[in-house]
Amino acid sequence: MLVVIDPVAAAQVTVQTPLSKHHTAVEFVRPLLGSKNLVTMEGKEWKMWRGIFNPGFSSAHLMSLVGRMVDHTVLFTKILDEHAAKSTLFELEDAATKLTVDIIGDVTLDTPLRAQTSDNELVQAFRDQLKWMPLPTEMNLFRKYNPWKFIQHRINAGVMDRYLEKLLEERFATRRQDEINHGSSKRAKPIIDLALDTYLSETQQSRTATLPAPFKRSAIDQFKTFLFAGHDTTSSTACYIIHLLNQHPQALEKVCQEHDEVFGSDTAKAAQAISDDPFILNRLPYSMAVLKEVLRLRPPASGVRAGQRDVIIELDGKRYPTEDCMVWPASYPLHRRPDLWPDADEFIPERFLVQEGDPLFPVKGAWRPFEQGPRNCIGQELVYIELKIFMVLTLRSFDIQAAYEERDRITGKDSSALTVDGDRAYQVLVVTAKPAGGYPAKVTRRLR
């Protein structure tokens, strides 16, 4: 393995000559995402499907879907209110995951998955599939080669594919009816509609009475990919926003002050203000800086690539052949290099607000939680919007605190020794990086 923790070297294998995904990564995610997903596609096939889905993930189009995201986040705050009223212990990561799943279902397929309020067949199968996916580094041979794992993979994949095929067919029928009614629906188009428009245009097909089979197959796998990304990245970042701001109350106060200045001190009016004018979210520079600093310190994911004979990394006068290597541009150590990031282990959102020339100003290419180059994360704008809405609607109203000690008392297990740098909310690899133990929490209404 060749671990890359330098921005210049990382650019050589992700931007200048983007290496293909390593076969172990492809094989690992196939049971979960299928074979036609943007994570593992390569070459012309990847370029085609990335182009098909790009319009739906543009910042301009996502802004038209903000009202939907607000509605789901308001429901999330009501659930927090219930936890506060009952003083219940709950896992914040699980609650945030259900929120992101609801948002993804709505903005991509115009479908209410209702993960926050009920059990959902798709979500259950998806999460069960995750449980049956031991990491490539798994040393327990029974867990790694358990024959029931492969049977369960097929069962869960079948459940997910049939569920999504039904949703796609229903959405296509709704779309056809809307065309017959000359666009009577006033709702903004979900991402899947823009993708289908682009697909039909690029394949030079006129209006069709049936959903094209190639589009259906790829769309099913792409939706599972978007669900996976939100399930495993946005939700964990939401937890770390809460956690790191709790550890840095001065930064929390600055965020709340910014929200007061933009939305007014009446927190009950913020949701409607965002729905009425989604672009108001662009007036939150400090909140965005906090979000970026959280992603620097707690990047949720990275990927491995396959070296090539003709790709040799050149750095500081040395040459590093990549042939036969698993090449890993590793964001976590890169984000904490003290020669690139002053006070690298400290939480300093201001480093994303200063001007070039300031010692805190980030080195070009050193911040890469979504990777860079043509294979960067297609959904990063959605992540920014989701999490800014999450911050605005929760931080001033709720005090959410980690409750690891209380869970220890309830379970009778003392896990206090399980820390990293004294922090019990360290990241653990569960397909992607998540807060240990699901971030057990208690919440109270904030008095301001």
Side-chain angles (χ1 to χ4, degrees):
M1 176 183 284
L2 181 60
V3 182
V4 181
I5 60 170
D6 182 88
V8 174
Q12 292 178 42
V13 297
T14 60
V15 181
Q16 297 168 21
T17 309
L19 295 175
S20 300
K21 295 300 175 72
H22 196 270
H23 69 88
T24 57
V26 176
E27 294 163 3
F28 176 66
V29 301
R30 184 178 291 120
L32 185 65
L33 308 183
S35 59
K36 296 292 183 181
N37 66 82
L38 285 173
V39 173
T40 60
M41 282 179 174
E42 297 291 349
K44 292 181 180 179
E45 184 181 40
W46 170 83
K47 186 176 181 180
M48 171 187 170
W49 287 104
R50 175 73 183 233
I52 286 170
F53 280 92
N54 270 339
F57 283 96
S58 69
S59 179
H61 182 66
L62 290 173
M63 282 299 185
S64 72
L65 300 171
V66 160
R68 304 180 186 218
M69 303 183 214
V70 169
D71 291 343
H72 293 296
T73 311
V74 167
L75 175 58
F76 176 80
T77 64
K78 292 178 180 178
I79 293 171
L80 289 182
D81 256 329
E82 292 174 4
H83 285 305
K86 299 176 182 177
S87 191
T88 53
L89 180 71
F90 68 104
E91 288 190 2
L92 180 60
E93 197 272 333
D94 180 68
T97 293
K98 292 176 180 177
L99 166 62
T100 57
V101 165
D102 275 350
I103 289 175
I104 290 166
D106 201 345
V107 303
T108 57
L109 284 176
D110 194 26
T111 299
L113 295 179
R114 299 186 179 90
Q116 295 190 87
T117 56
S118 62
D119 292 330
N120 177 279
E121 184 182 14
L122 171 66
V123 176
Q124 287 179 320
F126 186 88
R127 301 188 82 169
D128 189 62
Q129 195 79 318
L130 286 172
K131 295 176 183 177
W132 286 95
M133 291 178 63
L135 296 172
T137 54
E138 177 64 63
M139 300 302 291
N140 185 321
L141 295 181
F142 179 75
R143 176 167 167 75
K144 193 168 187 175
Y145 298 110
N146 183 351
W148 182 249
K149 175 185 73 173
F150 303 102
I151 298 173
Q152 199 63 41
H153 280 173
R154 291 178 64 88
I155 293 172
N156 288 329
V159 170
M160 291 188 288
D161 288 359
R162 287 190 297 272
Y163 188 99
L164 289 170
E165 181 177 14
K166 181 174 180 289
L167 289 185
L168 284 167
E169 292 288 1
E170 289 174 352
R171 179 59 208 166
F172 184 74
T174 301
R175 169 193 167 96
R176 288 280 296 162
Q177 188 60 46
D178 192 45
E179 289 176 351
I180 293 171
N181 296 334
H182 305 291
S184 59
S185 174
K186 302 301 182 182
R187 282 169 65 83
K189 286 186 174 182
I191 290 170
I192 199 68
D193 278 14
L194 269 67
L196 182 57
D197 288 342
T198 306
Y199 175 82
L200 295 177
S201 175
E202 291 192 0
T203 55
Q204 298 181 336
Q205 297 184 45
S206 58
R207 291 183 180 179
T208 174
T210 59
L211 189 63
F215 180 84
K216 183 194 298 185
R217 177 64 265 164
S218 183
I220 287 172
D221 287 354
Q222 303 319 333
F223 182 84
K224 289 187 288 187
T225 302
F226 305 147
L227 189 64
F228 168 67
H231 183 282
D232 271 16
T233 58
T234 309
S235 58
S236 61
T237 302
C239 293
Y240 282 118
I241 288 172
I242 296 295
H243 187 63
L244 289 171
L245 285 176
N246 282 342
Q247 293 180 330
H248 301 86
Q250 290 183 332
L252 174 59
E253 184 57 35
K254 287 183 180 180
V255 170
C256 292
Q257 182 179 347
E258 179 177 72
H259 295 175
D260 282 346
E261 291 171 356
V262 173
F263 299 99
S265 59
D266 186 350
T267 58
K269 296 180 178 180
Q272 191 60 52
I274 298 172
S275 295
D276 291 342
D277 178 16
F279 291 93
I280 199 172
L281 294 171
N282 294 334
R283 294 166 53 190
L284 302 172
Y286 191 76
S287 299
M288 187 64 174
V290 165
L291 174 52
K292 287 185 173 181
E293 183 70 341
V294 170
L295 286 166
R296 182 186 72 84
L297 290 171
R298 296 289 192 273
S302 58
V304 291
R305 308 199 177 208
Q308 297 175 190
R309 176 179 297 182
D310 59 340
V311 176
I312 299 175
I313 297 173
E314 298 185 7
L315 185 66
D316 298 330
K318 296 181 180 180
R319 291 163 59 85
Y320 301 88
T322 68
E323 184 180 10
D324 296 329
C325 284
M326 175 189 285
V327 182
W328 179 22
S331 54
Y332 187 95
L334 173 56
H335 286 178
R336 291 175 180 259
R337 275 183 53 178
D339 58 325
L340 299 178
W341 302 93
D343 298 314
D345 292 329
E346 298 301 317
F347 181 76
I348 308 175
E350 286 75 12
R351 66 176 89 243
F352 293 100
L353 295 172
V354 297
Q355 299 298 313
E356 188 171 2
D358 190 289
L360 283 176
F361 190 79
V363 173
K364 181 180 179 180
W367 187 79
R368 46 200 320 126
F370 299 109
E371 221 6 290
Q372 298 185 9
R375 299 297 298 255
N376 66 352
C377 175
I378 191 174
Q380 57 187 289
E381 287 297 327
L382 177 59
V383 172
Y384 293 146
I385 295 170
E386 282 184 79
L387 289 174
K388 281 192 281 187
I389 294 171
F390 170 83
M391 294 170 73
V392 171
L393 299 188
T394 61
L395 294 179
R396 291 183 297 166
S397 300
F398 300 97
D399 180 15
I400 305 171
Q401 295 288 335
Y404 285 93
E405 293 79 8
E406 181 164 342
R407 187 164 70 179
D408 283 350
R409 290 194 296 271
I410 294 172
T411 61
K413 297 179 181 179
D414 184 3
S415 303
S416 58
L418 297 177
T419 66
V420 174
D421 296 328
D423 192 350
R424 293 194 65 175
Y426 57 89
Q427 289 179 292
V428 294
L429 194 60
V430 185
V431 183
T432 59
K434 293 175 171 288
Y439 204 85
K442 298 287 291 287
V443 59
T444 57
R445 265 284 178 179
R446 194 180 293 279
L447 301 176
R448 304 182 71 241

